[in-house]
Amino acid sequence: MTEHPILTETVGRVGVITLNRPRQLNALNDALMDALGAALLAFDADEAIGVIVVTGGPKAFAAGADIAAMVDWTYMDVYRSEFITRNWETIRRVRKPVIAAVAGFAMGGGCELALSCDIVIAAESAKFALPEIKLALLPGAGGTQRLPRAIGKAKAMDMCLSARTLDATEADRYGLVSRVVPDEQLMATSLALATTIAGYSLPALMALKESVNRAWEGSLAEGIAYERRELHARFASADAHEGMRAFLDKRKPEFKHR
Ligand code: CO8
């Protein structure tokens, strides 16, 4: 029997979505992203729900896009299938507040998923990185646009160009997360916060969320469209396929273009 890539439950007026590919550290394949999008839209439309919490497992929130799925994709594959556009625009359409409850790895697309949420609660074990450059790829789900807005250009460039990982304390200091809590308190804190917010007027919450997003989005749409084409173009490069293949083979990549 195939596992469902996400699990959903409701706790009072809070809709909880749990990413559920633990053996792949919740790598974000199309099935998971389609299910996540559908669950977000269902909770957004559900009058009994005021706030949505997205979480992963104790080891990983999500380790990024599924490298095993992407390794043989060509430029035409990602261009024609509208890789990312199809799923990630859904997250932006959600009008209710979305809280990311992050423990363990939030890498690549996983970090970008957290950045797409309205509030990020990090467990002390949380680790954030945009390591796509190690695969000769680049962040393609808003990372190059949202990260500089969240933590400033200098720190964003440092993270993206070096692929280095931030622990929860550093992420908190940089303003990448809203607060840090002990791992065992992650869900209780996130649910308590979500329950408080869900007690407020929903139309006011939605207007407030939209208004805050206006303040930081600016020309985000143009930036994201540009970023996406650049990520698609990576699939025309031998280095990207070598980077992904080397990861799966558990060896050091041999890039042609250095
Ligand atoms: N894709 C596919 N499988 C993965 C991924 C991934 N991103 N990450 C981990 N796995 C798999 C591993 O291959 C391994 O599988 P197996 O047991 O079959 O060998 C299993 O999960 C456990 O992983 P590790 O053994 O590597 O666990 P470690 O604790 O040693 O290391 C790390 C954990 C550091 C997180 C490591 O797994 C890692 O570096 N993962 C890759 C992180 C990465 O490069 N992420 C970026 C991917 S590219 C990307 O996100 C582009 C964004 C585009 C937009 C997103 C659209 C959805």
Side-chain angles (χ1 to χ4, degrees):
M1 205 176 83
T2 49
E3 280 170 350
H4 204 278
I6 63 154
L7 305 171
T8 60
E9 62 177 314
T10 58
V11 181
R13 284 183 49 74
V14 181
V16 181
I17 301 173
T18 303
L19 311 183
N20 185 42
R21 298 186 74 213
R23 278 190 299 279
Q24 295 82 19
L25 304 186
N26 291 331
L28 305 168
N29 64 3
D30 280 349
L32 186 152
M33 288 306 300
D34 284 345
L36 174 62
L40 284 167
L41 291 182
F43 279 142
D44 207 34
D46 186 342
E47 286 179 7
I49 295 298
V51 173
I52 302 166
V53 173
V54 178
T55 193
K59 181 168 178 190
F61 177 68
D66 189 327
I67 301 169
M70 294 192 298
V71 64
D72 290 323
W73 285 353
T74 64
Y75 175 78
M76 281 314 291
D77 292 332
V78 291
Y79 185 79
R80 289 173 83 162
S81 70
E82 287 204 291
F83 174 47
I84 300 172
T85 312
R86 190 175 91 223
N87 292 311
W88 287 77
E89 295 307 315
T90 304
I91 301 169
R92 298 182 74 207
R93 278 172 51 202
V94 175
R95 298 173 74 199
K96 292 173 183 171
V98 182
I99 297 174
V102 179
F105 296 109
M107 302 274 183
C111 183
E112 293 173 300
L113 177 58
L115 282 166
S116 300
C117 296
D118 304 312
I119 295 175
V120 183
I121 307 294
E124 285 167 350
S125 68
K127 291 176 256 318
F128 297 87
L130 290 179
E132 285 88 343
I133 195 65
K134 286 162 78 173
L135 306 170
L137 294 175
L138 62 132
T144 66
Q145 306 302 301
R146 290 196 179 94
L147 191 67
R149 284 168 169 82
I151 69 174
K153 180 185 165 190
K155 292 191 186 308
M157 281 289 193
D158 182 0
M159 269 183 81
C160 290
L161 296 178
S162 71
R164 82 185 182 88
T165 301
L166 303 187
D167 64 20
T169 309
E170 213 173 359
D172 190 29
R173 186 150 41 88
Y174 286 6
L176 177 50
V177 305
S178 316
R179 38 179 126 158
V180 180
V181 297
D183 281 61
E184 60 277 12
Q185 289 169 24
L186 177 66
M187 283 318 288
T189 304
S190 302
L191 287 172
L193 175 65
T195 301
T196 298
I197 296 171
Y200 300 135
S201 158
L202 186 56
L205 285 171
M206 294 195 300
L208 182 54
K209 169 171 169 164
E210 189 179 345
S211 186
V212 174
N213 278 336
R214 288 275 165 105
W216 90 311
E217 283 197 353
S219 60
L220 183 65
E222 277 173 30
I224 282 180
Y226 177 79
E227 173 195 81
R228 196 155 302 157
R229 284 291 164 258
E230 288 301 308
L231 176 64
H232 287 173
R234 300 308 304 146
F235 286 83
S237 90
D239 276 355
H241 288 110
E242 166 61 11
M244 293 187 282
R245 179 57 65 198
F247 171 80
L248 295 172
D249 293 348
K250 303 186 190 300
R251 61 175 171 79
K252 214 171 167 339
E254 290 175 19
F255 295 128
K256 284 205 183 86
H257 307 287
R258 288 187 190 267

